[in-house]
Amino acid sequence: MPKRPIEPFLWLLFSAGGVLAALFLPILVFLFGLAFPLKWISSPRHDDLLALLRNPLTLVVLFVLCALALFHWAHRFRYTLYDGLQIKHLNRLINVFCYGGALVGSAAAAYVLLQAR
Amino acid sequence: MSDEQVDQMSTPTGYTEYHPRWYRTRLGTLWWLRRRSYLVFILRELSSVFVAWYVVFLLLLMHAVGQGGVEYQRFLRWAANPWVVGVNVVALIFVTFHAVTWFTLAPKAMVMRLRGKRIPSEWIAGSNYLAWAAVSALVAWLVLGR
């Protein structure tokens, strides 16, 4: 794989995303993925959640969390494909899929959050 | 140095007659099943897939909340589908695994010194776990109402 000057920057995004995902995701998956849908805990009222979502600080935190967690995925999954499946020859395709996906996802996050505002 | 020389240096080296032959053993696709530590490595890498899944889930949730109360209720009913719950159960296991391995490895990546002495790795890992607990409590408090 050729060395590119962008690599340290991508690694930084990976590592920052790893920290945020580790801090925020377990509780979020537990609450919104399991506890509320399965009615272990009664789900929050819509207006409360909307008010929380519209708070500027929440918007910023959620955007940064979504974008960096996606770049974390992109970087790690890229190497999973390289090393795990030994498909280094599809290099370019994998890069486009991973980092392109993270860019598209970040744009989607910005769009969703700006609409909810 | 002329531009041509620079260009020659940066072009990838192809096979030449006198080029030493690489010694690289070929790995099969399933090499990571051979040892427990390899398996843990690949599982840690795969946790990223569930990180991405949950970001998508979160985007759908935020979109539904932005659309209004009806859409929000519909999202919660969709999230109660057995397959969505199933994926989220696996996702919870993987993101927790990610968090634990990440915080445990942090002291190895983060060498900090205080008055010339290296801060014990337990302190760094410990403060990471504390931050994890604090963030989780804050999120629960914000979501579940004050």
Side-chain angles (χ1 to χ4, degrees):
Chain A
M1 200 192 54
K3 273 219 181 302
R4 279 163 300 173
I6 197 176
E7 199 66 24
F9 176 68
L10 293 175
W11 195 87
L12 194 70
L13 292 180
F14 157 75
S15 132
V19 174
L20 289 182
L23 288 175
F24 283 90
L25 288 195
I27 183 71
L28 286 174
V29 178
F30 173 75
L31 288 177
F32 288 100
L34 297 176
F36 298 148
L38 295 178
K39 300 197 168 70
W40 295 344
I41 307 174
S42 59
S43 40
R45 285 173 47 231
H46 175 256
D47 3 334
D48 288 346
L49 215 49
L50 190 62
L52 177 64
L53 186 61
R54 281 183 172 161
N55 185 305
L57 195 61
T58 319
L59 286 174
V60 172
V61 170
L62 281 173
F63 175 71
V64 173
L65 172 67
C66 288
L68 287 181
L70 283 174
F71 276 97
H72 170 83
W73 162 79
H75 200 66
R76 204 167 217 186
F77 193 59
R78 171 185 155 204
Y79 283 105
T80 312
L81 293 179
Y82 283 176
D83 300 330
L85 298 181
Q86 301 284 311
I87 43 176
K88 295 185 175 76
H89 53 285
L90 294 178
N91 208 325
R92 183 155 298 175
L93 188 69
I94 292 172
N95 287 352
V96 169
F97 172 69
C98 289
Y99 297 116
L103 279 176
V104 170
S106 304
Y111 173 77
V112 166
L113 287 168
L114 285 177
Q115 274 223 320
R117 191 166 57 113
Chain B
M1 214 188 285
S2 74
D3 280 357
E4 200 179 313
Q5 273 175 311
V6 174
D7 196 47
Q8 268 179 2
M9 283 171 75
S10 58
T11 45
T13 44
Y15 177 79
T16 57
E17 206 176 337
Y18 304 105
H19 195 279
R21 206 186 291 183
W22 300 112
Y23 176 71
R24 282 191 187 153
T25 48
R26 300 271 306 163
L27 281 172
T29 311
L30 297 176
W31 61 272
W32 39 273
L33 281 178
R34 269 190 245 147
R35 266 195 210 171
R36 214 182 97 85
S37 55
Y38 297 166
L39 187 67
V40 170
F41 161 77
I42 213 81
L43 287 178
R44 209 169 57 221
E45 299 295 288
L46 276 183
S47 70
S48 65
V49 174
F50 291 92
V51 168
W53 148 262
Y54 198 73
V55 170
V56 173
F57 183 89
L58 207 56
L59 288 180
L60 292 175
L61 168 69
M62 295 186 304
H63 181 68
V65 171
Q67 294 290 302
V70 182
E71 282 299 309
Y72 171 56
Q73 290 304 327
R74 187 187 297 179
F75 175 84
L76 286 178
R77 279 199 302 280
W78 172 77
N81 264 331
W83 77 266
V84 184
V85 172
V87 175
N88 275 331
V89 168
V90 182
L92 182 59
I93 296 170
F94 268 100
V95 296
T96 309
F97 180 62
H98 162 71
V100 171
T101 51
W102 193 269
F103 293 140
T104 310
L105 280 175
K108 297 202 167 58
M110 226 160 67
V111 176
M112 292 204 294
R113 284 164 200 284
L114 187 70
R115 296 201 203 105
K117 276 194 173 178
R118 191 173 164 173
I119 295 180
S121 57
E122 293 81 23
W123 290 18
I124 297 176
S127 58
N128 277 306
Y129 281 106
L130 271 182
W132 185 19
V135 168
S136 302
L138 179 70
V139 170
W141 180 68
L142 285 172
V143 169
L144 294 173
R146 285 133 269 189

